Amino acid sequence: APEQCDDGNFTSGDGCDGNCTLTACGNGIVTTGEQCDTSGQSLSCDSDCTFRTCGDGMTNTAGGEVCDTAGETAACDGDCTLVQCGDGRTNSSANEQCDDANAVNGDGCDSNCKLTGCGNGIVTAGEA
């Protein structure tokens, strides 16, 4: 690859890094203010040169995240997966009252992620 710069030394972080690229996130060299730098997004490093974590607001598909909204929303759970009734995570943003990770009705949390009871849309024991 052609050199972007060459300041005659191998010191990184001084404007021209040891690999003859300009000091910046994405050049493959970790410098001041960067936690990591892998020339782009990887399993452990986001494209902004911070360690990949669920909840940082940056969806890292290389790390297995499907979504990342820096908190739970109606579409994204706090574990960076899509909201789905039956996934074992109660997501109040998606109007789930409960989520016991099964489709059994009448056990306290019904298959529509609503508490077992009259008016929740599921007919259970004792209801006509």
Side-chain angles (χ1 to χ4, degrees):
E3 295 179 342
Q4 294 177 345
C5 58
D6 193 335
D7 62 359
N9 67 55
F10 293 103
T11 304
S12 293
D14 64 352
C16 183
D17 289 348
N19 62 359
C20 293
T21 60
L22 298 173
T23 300
C25 175
N27 73 347
I29 294 187
V30 178
T31 52
T32 303
E34 298 176 344
Q35 296 174 338
C36 54
D37 193 325
T38 56
S39 299
Q41 184 170 278
S42 72
L43 290 176
S44 62
C45 190
D46 270 332
S47 58
D48 67 351
C49 294
T50 59
F51 290 123
R52 183 197 76 79
T53 57
C54 177
D56 63 7
M58 294 184 66
T59 302
N60 187 336
T61 55
E65 293 181 354
V66 179
C67 57
D68 193 327
T69 55
E72 288 192 342
T73 66
C76 187
D77 267 333
D79 64 355
C80 294
T81 60
L82 297 177
V83 171
Q84 181 177 356
C85 180
D87 63 7
R89 293 184 60 93
T90 301
N91 187 316
S92 58
S93 297
N95 294 319
E96 292 181 349
Q97 295 174 339
C98 57
D99 193 326
D100 61 1
N102 68 51
V104 176
N105 293 318
D107 66 348
C109 183
D110 290 346
S111 61
N112 61 358
C113 291
K114 303 293 182 197
L115 297 172
T116 299
C118 180
N120 76 347
I122 303 279
V123 178
T124 54
E127 296 179 337

